[in-house]
Amino acid sequence: MEDLTVKEALEKYPYLKEFQENTIFTTKSDIEYIKSGEKILIDGTFIYKEFLRRIFTDDKYYDYAYRYLKGNIDSFSLGYIAYGDIVDQIRYSKRQIIQGLSIVLLRDEEQLNSECFDKYENLKKEASYKSLLEKYKNFKYDINIDSEEYSFNACDLIRFISLKDDDFERACKSSKINGVKKEHFIYGALSFFKENNIIDEYLLSRSTLRHYDDIISNKKVDIETINQYLKTEDAYVDKVILNKDLRDSILNGMPDDLSDLEKAIYIYIKMCKLLRYDEEYYAVNQKGVATFKHKDINYVSNVTPLNNEVVCFEFNLIYSKMLDEIGIKFKTDYKNMTGDAYGLSHANLTFRCDKFLIKADSVTSILNSDMTLAKLNKPLRGLECINKNNLTQNEFENSLNKVYEMISEKEKQIDDVDADYEKTVFMLIDEYSKLTDNVKEVPLEEKMTILIEKVNSTNLSGMDLISYLLRLKKILFNRFQRQNNVNITIVRNNETQDDGTISTATIIVLNPTGFEDKSNTYYFFVPGEGLISTTKGEIQSRFDDGMLQYISEDGPLIPGITVGRVK
Amino acid sequence: MIDKLKEMNNKLILINKDDEIELRKQHLIREILNKKDVFLNIKIEYAYSILRDLKIEEENIEKVYLKLIDG
């Protein structure tokens, strides 16, 4: 270890001389001596008592401390030189020095003379509230807050944080302070205090420190979002082209008088109600060919109210585009550990609406995503207010509940219209049936023939086909027949298509005399290929080799087929 | 096909203007036919009955019905 006197070290490393302005150089052994002595705990930091004592007893130390407290030098350090560097530095804030000196005075009163008290008073005076106001007497603090330029009188900012408790409370509850929007004034005061290190540099009252803590923790007034999200941070939104029908469906019924936050909530809920998580993507465990389309950013244009299967990537793109259109700034996150990577890791976004900071993640869980929960009108999990302020969180919850109820209420009205339609038709049919003698039983075999005829001749596919099949089942067969004679089951067809997707298949089982393994008639229906007569053994073998699979764990079974449940 | 049925219904309303019960029945059928996609919403037994009351011949009823429930 290099063991030089201070004089030798400064001769050897002359470039360190300039640090003598605010640093007292000593020896390694002296530093060790100081550190081995008594310590005083102040604001969570241990202060070496010997260092403080020297301010009283050594003029050199006092001179540095005085110049530091007066603001002539930026810091006051003690350290030693080793291998051309200043090491093991001891350095404290003005506040720590003054508080530490006051404790030394109390504890070592008998050993210190009146000159020490004078020194203490001189130093303290330089870090006082009065001195703070004096220093910033004519200082204008310029700051841009949420794109507005302000030039605050620094003393107004200081006096605000130093108000008496009652006055501070009152100011925090008002809408304006010194004629400026309350949140902006408080943000200005906080920024001024932070930038000038006021809390560490001056001896301020306990209530002032408490007010500062209240502001910095956003407890009294929520300023967490100020100067954040002034620009959208996203690499993809400009490339997104939304399907017009999808966009119209999302915005359909949105009242004009909603706030921006309520609009953002409305759009999120409507998207969750309109879109579905792609079961195929889930079924293949997010790997392989079935996932390719979701990794292509252009695929989002193909998402429509009918072709509505998405994963988190498309949901995020669509939501970001909708937010962009209503002027809300956001940050998207498509990142994985190696950087920005659309389609490779989970996607979500956060956005700012006035004081609200919201995280939107519709797929916090695949099986319980908001796309599922919203359709059941259950509480959503993925739209979350991430402000620290409890009142802001409560306000967000209220807005979320209000908009959710509004949408659910509208759905109910639409359902009521459907119910009215059915009721009216039912009432008409009821009255009509009392005036006619022509309502007669239609033979089950004839109904089955009609079903086969219609399924074979339809050009529908996908969800439209499924909806049509279920409609036919309802109008042709009564409840007993649906349970005992006619079974229509949609299953997953794991045979990949030319475009790499996995599709569904429909199995129809008929038996006019009631389901019984040996006499059931099995049909296999694939859109575009028509209805193919098959056997139980053939279907069973397709289930056995994994080509067919039940989609859900608890849906109805195909008569005679008991394997192939999703595990 | 539904338009053809409405025409037949109108004729039957004119023909049965003096038959209170038959007229009421045809008026009800008119209301039913005016409902959107009504044959995809009512049971086959009522659909067949309406076709019979509109004087569709029995051997053609299934054929007509098949057209009425196109997807």
Side-chain angles (χ1 to χ4, degrees), chain A residues 469-531:
Chain A
L469 288 176
L470 297 176
R471 177 60 64 185
L472 287 179
K473 192 167 131 178
K474 192 174 171 186
I475 60 170
L476 293 176
F477 307 101
N478 61 34
R479 188 183 295 271
F480 180 83
Q481 292 166 338
R482 294 199 296 265
Q483 283 175 353
N484 299 285
N485 308 100
V486 182
N487 178 283
I488 301 176
T489 308
I490 317 296
V491 295
R492 188 164 70 227
N493 180 10
N494 284 327
E495 195 171 358
T496 47
Q497 308 298 295
D498 292 343
D499 62 359
T501 60
I502 288 171
S503 62
T504 59
T506 306
I507 310 291
I508 299 177
V509 188
L510 304 175
N511 192 334
T513 57
F515 290 130
E516 193 272 318
D517 278 4
K518 287 177 186 167
S519 56
N520 293 344
T521 309
Y522 290 83
Y523 294 94
F524 185 66
F525 179 73
V526 178
E529 293 179 25
L531 205 55

Side-chain angles (χ1 to χ4, degrees), chain A residues 8 31 112 142 169 241 279 282 286 332 357 416 462 474:
Chain A
E8 288 167 345
I31 292 287
L112 299 168
D142 297 329
E169 289 285 337
I241 298 168
E279 282 186 293
Y282 172 60
Q286 305 170 25
T332 50
L357 198 56
D416 288 346
K474 192 174 171 186

Side-chain angles (χ1 to χ4, degrees), chain A residues 420-422 424-425 427-429 431-433 435-442 446-447 449-451 453-454 457-458 460 468 471-479 481-482, chain B residues 21-22 24-29 31-32 35-55 58 61-62 65-71:
Chain A
D420 284 348
Y421 171 86
E422 297 217 347
T424 316
V425 171
M427 285 168 70
L428 290 169
I429 291 288
E431 197 178 342
Y432 159 76
S433 65
L435 298 173
T436 186
D437 297 323
N438 283 325
V439 181
K440 293 172 187 165
E441 189 85 5
V442 178
E446 186 174 330
K447 293 178 176 183
T449 307
I450 290 170
L451 175 71
E453 166 77 21
K454 294 315 290 180
S457 61
T458 184
L460 296 173
Y468 180 57
R471 177 60 64 185
L472 287 179
K473 192 167 131 178
K474 192 174 171 186
I475 60 170
L476 293 176
F477 307 101
N478 61 34
R479 188 183 295 271
Q481 292 166 338
R482 294 199 296 265
Chain B
I21 293 175
E22 189 59 27
R24 176 67 194 141
K25 188 166 68 179
Q26 291 300 332
H27 275 296
L28 282 171
I29 291 173
E31 282 191 68
I32 293 167
K35 294 287 177 190
K36 189 170 177 284
D37 293 333
V38 71
F39 287 98
L40 280 169
N41 285 287
I42 60 172
K43 290 286 183 193
I44 183 172
E45 286 80 5
Y46 294 117
Y48 272 30
S49 177
I50 289 168
L51 296 180
R52 287 182 187 116
D53 279 325
L54 290 172
K55 310 302 176 195
E58 197 64 29
I61 283 184
E62 186 182 332
Y65 181 69
L66 279 167
K67 286 182 183 169
L68 291 169
I69 59 167
D70 270 342

Side-chain angles (χ1 to χ4, degrees), chain A residues 373-385:
Chain A
L373 297 172
K375 289 175 187 73
L376 302 170
N377 287 325
K378 287 186 174 177
L380 303 179
R381 296 175 173 182
L383 200 62
E384 187 191 3
C385 173

Side-chain angles (χ1 to χ4, degrees), chain A residues 297-308:
Chain A
I297 192 169
N298 297 315
Y299 177 70
V300 73
S301 309
N302 300 325
V303 179
T304 68
L306 290 176
N307 181 36
N308 60 350

Side-chain angles (χ1 to χ4, degrees), chain A residues 412-423:
Chain A
K412 235 187 261 173
Q413 286 166 10
I414 292 165
D415 288 347
D416 288 346
V417 171
D418 286 348
D420 284 348
Y421 171 86
E422 297 217 347
K423 192 176 165 189

Side-chain angles (χ1 to χ4, degrees), chain A residues 127-190:
Chain A
S128 68
Y129 177 66
K130 194 179 165 190
S131 171
L132 171 65
L133 287 178
E134 183 62 27
K135 179 176 178 183
Y136 291 103
K137 193 164 59 179
N138 297 313
F139 186 81
K140 288 282 180 187
Y141 179 63
D142 297 329
I143 183 170
N144 183 300
I145 302 175
D146 279 351
S147 305
E148 282 185 57
E149 296 292 342
Y150 289 96
S151 184
F152 293 114
N153 183 340
C155 287
D156 287 344
L157 302 175
I158 296 165
R159 285 195 191 99
F160 161 71
I161 296 191
S162 309
L163 283 172
K164 286 180 185 170
D165 284 349
D166 287 351
D167 293 335
F168 181 76
E169 289 285 337
R170 211 170 295 123
C172 287
K173 283 177 185 164
S174 65
S175 61
K176 288 189 171 183
I177 300 172
N178 283 16
V180 175
K181 187 180 173 187
K182 169 180 71 182
E183 289 79 7
H184 286 190
F185 188 88
I186 293 176
Y187 183 83
L190 179 66

